[in-house]
Coordinates of all heavy atoms in Angstrom, one line a residue:
R1 N 0.9 -1.2 0.0 CA 0.0 0.0 0.0 C 0.9 1.2 0.0 O 1.5 1.6 1.0 CB -0.9 -0.1 1.2 CG -2.0 0.9 1.3 CD -2.8 0.7 2.5 NE -4.0 1.5 2.3 CZ -4.9 1.7 3.3 NH1 -4.7 1.2 4.4 NH2 -5.9 2.4 3.1
G2 N 0.9 2.0 -1.1 CA 1.8 3.1 -1.2 C 1.0 4.4 -1.0 O -0.2 4.4 -0.8
P3 N 1.8 5.5 -1.0 CA 1.2 6.8 -0.7 C 0.2 7.2 -1.8 O -0.8 7.9 -1.5 CB 2.4 7.8 -0.7 CG 3.6 7.0 -1.0 CD 3.2 5.5 -1.1
D4 N 0.4 6.8 -3.0 CA -0.6 7.2 -4.1 C -2.0 6.5 -3.8 O -3.0 7.1 -4.0 CB -0.1 6.8 -5.5 CG 1.1 7.6 -5.9 OD1 1.2 8.7 -5.4 OD2 1.8 7.1 -6.8
R5 N -1.9 5.3 -3.4 CA -3.2 4.5 -3.2 C -3.9 5.2 -2.0 O -5.1 5.3 -2.0 CB -2.9 3.1 -2.9 CG -4.1 2.3 -2.6 CD -3.8 0.8 -2.4 NE -5.0 0.2 -2.0 CZ -5.4 -1.0 -2.3 NH1 -4.7 -1.7 -3.1 NH2 -6.5 -1.5 -1.8
E6 N -3.2 5.5 -0.9 CA -3.8 6.2 0.3 C -4.4 7.5 -0.1 O -5.6 7.8 0.3 CB -2.8 6.4 1.4 CG -2.4 5.1 2.0 CD -1.3 5.2 3.1 OE1 -1.0 6.4 3.5 OE2 -0.8 4.2 3.5
Q7 N -3.8 8.3 -1.0 CA -4.3 9.6 -1.4 C -5.6 9.4 -2.2 O -6.5 10.1 -2.1 CB -3.3 10.4 -2.2 CG -2.2 11.0 -1.4 CD -1.1 11.7 -2.1 OE1 -1.0 11.5 -3.4 NE2 -0.3 12.4 -1.5
S8 N -5.6 8.4 -3.1 CA -6.7 8.0 -3.9 C -7.9 7.7 -3.1 O -9.0 8.1 -3.3 CB -6.4 6.9 -4.9 OG -7.5 6.5 -5.7
Q9 N -7.7 6.8 -2.1 CA -8.8 6.4 -1.2 C -9.3 7.6 -0.4 O -10.5 7.7 -0.2 CB -8.3 5.3 -0.3 CG -8.1 4.0 -1.0 CD -7.6 2.9 0.0 OE1 -7.1 3.2 1.0 NE2 -7.8 1.7 -0.4
E10 N -8.5 8.5 0.0 CA -8.9 9.7 0.7 C -9.8 10.5 -0.1 O -10.8 11.1 0.3 CB -7.7 10.5 1.2 CG -8.0 11.6 2.1 CD -8.6 11.2 3.4 OE1 -8.3 10.1 4.0 OE2 -9.4 12.0 4.0
R11 N -9.5 10.7 -1.4 CA -10.3 11.5 -2.3 C -11.7 10.9 -2.5 O -12.6 11.6 -2.7 CB -9.6 11.7 -3.7 CG -8.5 12.7 -3.7 CD -8.1 13.0 -5.1 NE -7.7 11.9 -5.8 CZ -6.4 11.4 -5.9 NH1 -5.4 12.1 -5.3 NH2 -6.1 10.4 -6.7
E12 N -11.8 9.6 -2.5 CA -13.0 8.9 -2.8 C -13.9 8.9 -1.6 O -15.1 8.6 -1.7 CB -12.7 7.5 -3.3 CG -12.0 7.5 -4.7 CD -11.6 6.1 -5.1 OE1 -11.9 5.1 -4.3 OE2 -10.9 6.0 -6.0
R13 N -13.4 9.1 -0.4 CA -14.2 9.0 0.8 C -15.2 10.2 0.9 O -14.8 11.3 0.7 CB -13.3 9.0 2.0 CG -14.0 8.8 3.3 CD -13.0 8.7 4.5 NE -12.2 7.5 4.3 CZ -10.9 7.5 4.6 NH1 -10.3 8.6 5.1 NH2 -10.1 6.4 4.3
P14 N -16.4 9.9 1.1 CA -17.4 11.0 1.3 C -17.1 12.0 2.4 O -16.7 11.5 3.5 CB -18.8 10.3 1.5 CG -18.5 8.9 1.1 CD -17.1 8.6 1.3
S15 N -17.2 13.3 2.1 CA -17.1 14.3 3.1 C -18.3 14.6 3.9 O -18.3 15.1 4.9 CB -16.5 15.5 2.5 OG -15.3 15.3 1.9
I16 N -19.5 14.2 3.2 CA -20.7 14.5 3.9 C -21.5 13.2 4.0 O -21.4 12.3 3.2 CB -21.6 15.6 3.1 CG1 -22.0 15.1 1.7 CG2 -20.8 16.9 3.0 CD1 -23.0 16.0 1.1
S17 N -22.4 13.2 5.0 CA -23.2 11.9 5.2 C -24.4 11.9 4.4 O -24.7 13.0 3.8 CB -23.6 11.9 6.7 OG -24.6 12.9 7.0
A18 N -25.1 10.8 4.3 CA -26.3 10.7 3.5 C -27.3 11.6 4.1 O -28.1 12.3 3.3 CB -26.8 9.2 3.5
G19 N -27.4 11.8 5.4 CA -28.3 12.7 6.0 C -28.1 14.2 5.6 O -29.1 14.9 5.4
E20 N -26.8 14.5 5.6 CA -26.5 15.9 5.2 C -26.8 16.1 3.7 O -27.3 17.2 3.3 CB -25.0 16.2 5.5 CG -24.6 16.3 6.9 CD -23.1 16.2 7.1 OE1 -22.4 15.4 6.5 OE2 -22.7 17.0 8.0
A21 N -26.5 15.1 2.9 CA -26.9 15.2 1.5 C -28.3 15.3 1.3 O -28.8 16.1 0.5 CB -26.3 14.0 0.7
L22 N -29.1 14.6 2.0 CA -30.6 14.7 1.9 C -31.1 16.1 2.3 O -32.0 16.6 1.6 CB -31.3 13.6 2.8 CG -32.8 13.6 2.7 CD1 -33.4 13.5 1.3 CD2 -33.4 12.5 3.6
S23 N -30.5 16.7 3.3 CA -30.9 18.0 3.7 C -30.6 19.0 2.6 O -31.4 19.9 2.3 CB -30.1 18.4 5.0 OG -30.5 19.6 5.4
I24 N -29.5 18.8 2.0 CA -29.1 19.7 0.8 C -30.2 19.5 -0.3 O -30.6 20.5 -0.9 CB -27.7 19.4 0.4 CG1 -26.7 19.9 1.4 CG2 -27.4 20.1 -1.0 CD1 -25.3 19.3 1.2
A25 N -30.5 18.3 -0.6 CA -31.4 18.0 -1.7 C -32.8 18.5 -1.4 O -33.5 19.1 -2.2 CB -31.5 16.5 -1.9
R26 N -33.2 18.4 -0.1 CA -34.6 18.9 0.3 C -34.6 20.4 0.1 O -35.6 20.9 -0.4 CB -34.9 18.5 1.7 CG -35.3 17.1 1.9 CD -35.7 17.0 3.4 NE -35.8 15.6 3.8 CZ -36.9 14.9 3.8 NH1 -38.0 15.4 3.4 NH2 -37.0 13.6 4.2
S27 N -33.6 21.1 0.4 CA -33.6 22.5 0.3 C -33.7 22.9 -1.2 O -34.3 23.9 -1.5 CB -32.4 23.2 1.0 OG -31.2 22.9 0.3
R28 N -33.1 22.2 -2.0 CA -33.2 22.4 -3.5 C -34.5 22.0 -4.1 O -34.9 22.5 -5.1 CB -32.0 21.7 -4.2 CG -32.1 22.0 -5.7 CD -30.7 21.7 -6.3 NE -30.8 22.0 -7.6 CZ -29.9 22.6 -8.3 NH1 -28.8 23.1 -7.8 NH2 -30.0 22.9 -9.6
A29 N -35.2 21.1 -3.5 CA -36.5 20.5 -4.0 C -37.7 21.4 -3.8 O -38.7 21.2 -4.3 CB -36.8 19.2 -3.3
R30 N -37.5 22.5 -3.1 CA -38.5 23.6 -2.9 C -39.9 23.0 -2.6 O -40.9 23.2 -3.2 CB -38.6 24.4 -4.2 CG -37.4 25.1 -4.5 CD -37.6 26.0 -5.8 NE -36.3 26.2 -6.4 CZ -35.8 25.6 -7.5 NH1 -36.4 24.6 -8.0 NH2 -34.7 25.9 -8.0
G31 N -40.0 22.2 -1.5 CA -41.2 21.8 -1.0 C -41.8 20.5 -1.6 O -42.9 20.1 -1.3
A32 N -41.1 19.9 -2.5 CA -41.5 18.7 -3.2 C -41.4 17.6 -2.1 O -40.7 17.6 -1.2 CB -40.7 18.4 -4.4
R33 N -42.2 16.6 -2.3 CA -42.3 15.4 -1.4 C -41.1 14.4 -1.7 O -40.9 14.0 -2.9 CB -43.6 14.7 -1.6 CG -43.8 13.5 -0.6 CD -45.2 12.9 -0.8 NE -45.4 12.2 -2.1 CZ -45.1 11.0 -2.3 NH1 -44.6 10.2 -1.3 NH2 -45.3 10.4 -3.5
F34 N -40.4 14.1 -0.7 CA -39.3 13.1 -0.9 C -39.9 11.7 -1.1 O -40.7 11.3 -0.4 CB -38.4 13.1 0.4 CG -37.4 12.1 0.5 CD1 -36.3 12.1 -0.4 CD2 -37.5 11.0 1.4 CE1 -35.4 11.1 -0.4 CE2 -36.5 10.0 1.5 CZ -35.4 10.0 0.5
V35 N -39.4 11.1 -2.1 CA -39.9 9.8 -2.5 C -39.0 8.7 -2.1 O -39.4 7.6 -1.6 CB -40.2 9.7 -4.0 CG1 -40.7 8.3 -4.4 CG2 -41.3 10.7 -4.5
G36 N -37.7 8.8 -2.3 CA -36.8 7.8 -1.9 C -35.3 8.1 -2.4 O -35.1 9.1 -3.1
T37 N -34.5 7.2 -2.1 CA -33.1 7.3 -2.5 C -32.8 6.3 -3.7 O -33.3 5.2 -3.6 CB -32.2 6.9 -1.3 OG1 -32.5 7.8 -0.2 CG2 -30.7 7.1 -1.7
M38 N -32.2 6.7 -4.6 CA -31.8 5.9 -5.8 C -30.4 5.3 -5.7 O -29.6 5.9 -4.9 CB -31.9 6.7 -7.1 CG -33.2 7.5 -7.3 SD -34.6 6.3 -7.5 CE -34.2 5.6 -9.0
A39 N -30.2 4.2 -6.3 CA -28.8 3.7 -6.3 C -27.9 4.7 -6.9 O -28.2 5.5 -7.8 CB -28.8 2.5 -7.2
S40 N -26.7 4.9 -6.3 CA -25.8 5.8 -6.8 C -24.4 5.2 -6.9 O -24.1 4.2 -6.3 CB -25.7 7.0 -5.8 OG -25.4 6.6 -4.5
G41 N -23.6 5.9 -7.5 CA -22.2 5.5 -7.7 C -21.3 6.6 -8.0 O -21.7 7.7 -8.3
G42 N -20.1 6.5 -7.9 CA -19.1 7.5 -8.2 C -19.1 8.6 -7.2 O -18.9 9.8 -7.6
G43 N -19.4 8.4 -6.0 CA -19.4 9.4 -5.0 C -20.5 10.4 -5.1 O -20.4 11.6 -4.7
T44 N -21.7 9.9 -5.5 CA -22.9 10.8 -5.6 C -24.1 10.2 -4.9 O -24.3 9.0 -5.0 CB -23.3 10.9 -7.1 OG1 -22.1 11.5 -7.8 CG2 -24.4 11.9 -7.3
Y45 N -24.8 11.0 -4.2 CA -26.1 10.6 -3.6 C -27.2 11.0 -4.6 O -27.1 12.1 -5.2 CB -26.3 11.3 -2.3 CG -25.4 11.0 -1.1 CD1 -24.4 11.9 -0.7 CD2 -25.4 9.7 -0.5 CE1 -23.5 11.6 0.3 CE2 -24.5 9.4 0.6 CZ -23.6 10.4 0.9 OH -22.7 10.1 1.9
V46 N -28.2 10.2 -4.8 CA -29.3 10.5 -5.7 C -30.6 10.4 -4.9 O -30.9 9.3 -4.4 CB -29.3 9.7 -6.9 CG1 -30.5 10.1 -7.8 CG2 -28.0 9.7 -7.6
F47 N -31.4 11.5 -4.9 CA -32.6 11.5 -4.1 C -33.8 11.8 -5.1 O -33.7 12.6 -6.0 CB -32.6 12.5 -3.0 CG -31.5 12.3 -2.1 CD1 -30.3 13.1 -2.1 CD2 -31.6 11.3 -1.1 CE1 -29.3 12.9 -1.3 CE2 -30.5 11.1 -0.2 CZ -29.4 11.9 -0.3
R48 N -34.9 11.1 -5.0 CA -36.1 11.3 -5.8 C -37.1 12.1 -5.1 O -37.5 11.7 -3.9 CB -36.6 9.9 -6.3 CG -37.8 10.1 -7.3 CD -37.9 8.8 -8.2 NE -36.9 9.0 -9.2 CZ -36.7 8.1 -10.2 NH1 -37.4 7.0 -10.2 NH2 -35.8 8.3 -11.1
F49 N -37.7 13.0 -5.8 CA -38.8 13.8 -5.3 C -40.0 13.9 -6.2 O -39.9 13.6 -7.4 CB -38.3 15.3 -5.1 CG -37.3 15.4 -4.0 CD1 -35.9 15.2 -4.2 CD2 -37.6 15.7 -2.7 CE1 -35.0 15.3 -3.2 CE2 -36.7 15.8 -1.7 CZ -35.4 15.6 -1.9
E50 N -41.2 14.2 -5.7 CA -42.4 14.5 -6.4 C -42.9 15.9 -6.2 O -43.2 16.2 -5.0 CB -43.4 13.4 -6.1 CG -44.7 13.6 -6.9 CD -45.8 12.6 -6.6 OE1 -45.6 11.8 -5.6 OE2 -46.8 12.6 -7.2
S51 N -43.1 16.6 -7.2 CA -43.6 18.0 -7.1 C -45.1 18.0 -6.8 O -45.8 17.0 -7.0 CB -43.4 18.8 -8.4 OG -44.3 18.3 -9.4
P52 N -45.6 19.1 -6.3 CA -47.1 19.1 -6.0 C -47.9 18.9 -7.3 O -49.0 18.4 -7.1 CB -47.3 20.6 -5.5 CG -45.9 21.0 -5.0 CD -44.9 20.3 -5.9
E53 N -47.3 19.1 -8.4 CA -48.1 18.8 -9.7 C -47.9 17.3 -10.1 O -48.5 16.9 -11.1 CB -47.5 19.7 -10.8 CG -47.7 21.2 -10.6 CD -46.6 21.7 -9.7 OE1 -45.5 21.2 -9.6 OE2 -47.0 22.7 -8.9
G54 N -47.2 16.5 -9.4 CA -47.0 15.1 -9.7 C -45.8 14.8 -10.5 O -45.6 13.6 -10.9
R55 N -45.0 15.8 -10.8 CA -43.8 15.5 -11.6 C -42.7 14.9 -10.7 O -42.4 15.3 -9.6 CB -43.2 16.8 -12.2 CG -42.0 16.6 -13.1 CD -41.6 18.0 -13.8 NE -41.0 18.9 -12.8 CZ -39.7 19.0 -12.5 NH1 -38.9 18.1 -13.1 NH2 -39.3 19.8 -11.6
I56 N -42.1 13.8 -11.2 CA -41.0 13.1 -10.5 C -39.7 13.6 -11.0 O -39.5 13.7 -12.2 CB -41.1 11.5 -10.7 CG1 -42.5 11.0 -10.2 CG2 -40.0 10.8 -10.0 CD1 -42.7 11.1 -8.7
F57 N -38.8 13.9 -10.1 CA -37.5 14.3 -10.5 C -36.4 13.9 -9.5 O -36.7 13.6 -8.3 CB -37.4 15.9 -10.7 CG -37.8 16.7 -9.5 CD1 -36.8 17.2 -8.6 CD2 -39.1 17.0 -9.1 CE1 -37.0 17.9 -7.5 CE2 -39.4 17.7 -8.0 CZ -38.4 18.2 -7.2
D58 N -35.2 13.9 -10.0 CA -34.1 13.5 -9.1 C -33.1 14.6 -8.8 O -33.0 15.5 -9.7 CB -33.2 12.4 -9.8 CG -34.0 11.1 -10.0 OD1 -35.0 10.8 -9.2 OD2 -33.6 10.3 -10.9
I59 N -32.6 14.7 -7.6 CA -31.5 15.6 -7.3 C -30.3 14.9 -6.8 O -30.4 14.0 -6.0 CB -32.0 16.6 -6.2 CG1 -33.2 17.5 -6.7 CG2 -30.9 17.5 -5.7 CD1 -33.7 18.4 -5.7
T60 N -29.2 15.1 -7.4 CA -27.9 14.5 -7.1 C -27.2 15.4 -6.2 O -27.2 16.6 -6.4 CB -27.1 14.2 -8.3 OG1 -26.8 15.4 -9.1 CG2 -27.9 13.2 -9.2
V61 N -26.4 14.9 -5.2 CA -25.6 15.6 -4.4 C -24.2 15.0 -4.4 O -24.1 13.8 -4.1 CB -26.1 15.7 -2.9 CG1 -25.2 16.4 -2.0 CG2 -27.5 16.3 -2.9
D62 N -23.2 15.7 -4.7 CA -21.8 15.2 -4.7 C -21.4 14.9 -3.3 O -21.5 15.8 -2.4 CB -20.9 16.2 -5.3 CG -19.5 15.7 -5.5 OD1 -18.8 15.5 -4.4 OD2 -19.0 15.6 -6.6
A63 N -21.0 13.7 -3.0 CA -20.7 13.2 -1.6 C -19.4 13.9 -1.1 O -19.2 14.0 0.1 CB -20.4 11.7 -1.6
R64 N -18.6 14.5 -1.9 CA -17.4 15.1 -1.5 C -17.6 16.6 -1.3 O -17.1 17.1 -0.3 CB -16.3 14.8 -2.5 CG -14.9 15.2 -2.0 CD -13.8 14.7 -3.0 NE -14.1 15.1 -4.3 CZ -13.8 16.3 -4.8 NH1 -13.3 17.3 -4.1 NH2 -14.0 16.6 -6.1
T65 N -18.2 17.2 -2.2 CA -18.4 18.7 -2.2 C -19.7 19.2 -1.6 O -19.8 20.3 -1.2 CB -18.2 19.3 -3.5 OG1 -19.3 18.9 -4.4 CG2 -16.8 18.9 -4.2
G66 N -20.7 18.4 -1.6 CA -22.1 18.8 -1.2 C -22.8 19.6 -2.3 O -23.9 20.1 -2.0
R67 N -22.2 19.7 -3.5 CA -22.9 20.4 -4.6 C -24.1 19.6 -5.1 O -24.0 18.4 -5.3 CB -22.0 20.7 -5.7 CG -21.1 21.8 -5.5 CD -20.5 22.2 -6.8 NE -19.9 23.6 -6.6 CZ -18.8 23.9 -7.2 NH1 -18.2 23.1 -8.1 NH2 -18.3 25.1 -7.1
A68 N -25.3 20.3 -5.3 CA -26.5 19.7 -5.8 C -26.7 20.0 -7.2 O -26.4 21.1 -7.7 CB -27.6 20.1 -4.9
G69 N -27.3 19.0 -7.9 CA -27.7 19.2 -9.3 C -29.0 18.5 -9.6 O -29.5 17.7 -8.8
G70 N -29.6 18.9 -10.7 CA -30.9 18.3 -11.1 C -32.0 19.1 -10.5 O -31.8 20.2 -10.0
G71 N -33.2 18.5 -10.6 CA -34.4 19.3 -10.1 C -35.3 19.6 -11.1 O -35.8 19.4 -11.9

């Protein structure tokens, strides 16, 4: 196990928890109903929401930075 491998593992480790990520996604969802968590990979949390009009959409949150996308 060399220093490069340890640095690589450190970069891949999530900096925020799933609960923190959900909180970020909820704030971006603007009152939509939380439906569930989708399978994710590559250091991303994916949360599914339903708008008051019935539209289903996903919000992704980067596990390392906390940046949200989608909606």
Side-chain angles (χ1 to χ4, degrees):
R1 191 175 193 193
D4 290 338
R5 182 179 170 142
E6 288 176 13
Q7 287 176 345
S8 175
Q9 288 177 341
E10 187 66 31
R11 280 193 304 267
E12 294 171 7
R13 186 174 299 141
S15 297
I16 64 171
S17 69
E20 290 169 317
L22 177 56
S23 180
I24 292 167
R26 281 184 195 267
S27 68
R28 181 159 180 137
R30 298 182 202 98
R33 183 177 68 88
F34 173 67
V35 176
T37 303
M38 304 297 295
S40 61
T44 304
Y45 296 107
V46 182
F47 303 101
R48 181 156 282 180
F49 291 88
E50 181 180 5
S51 73
E53 300 78 31
R55 185 175 69 91
I56 301 293
F57 61 96
D58 296 336
I59 294 181
T60 59
V61 178
D62 186 292
R64 192 172 50 81
T65 66
R67 281 199 164 142

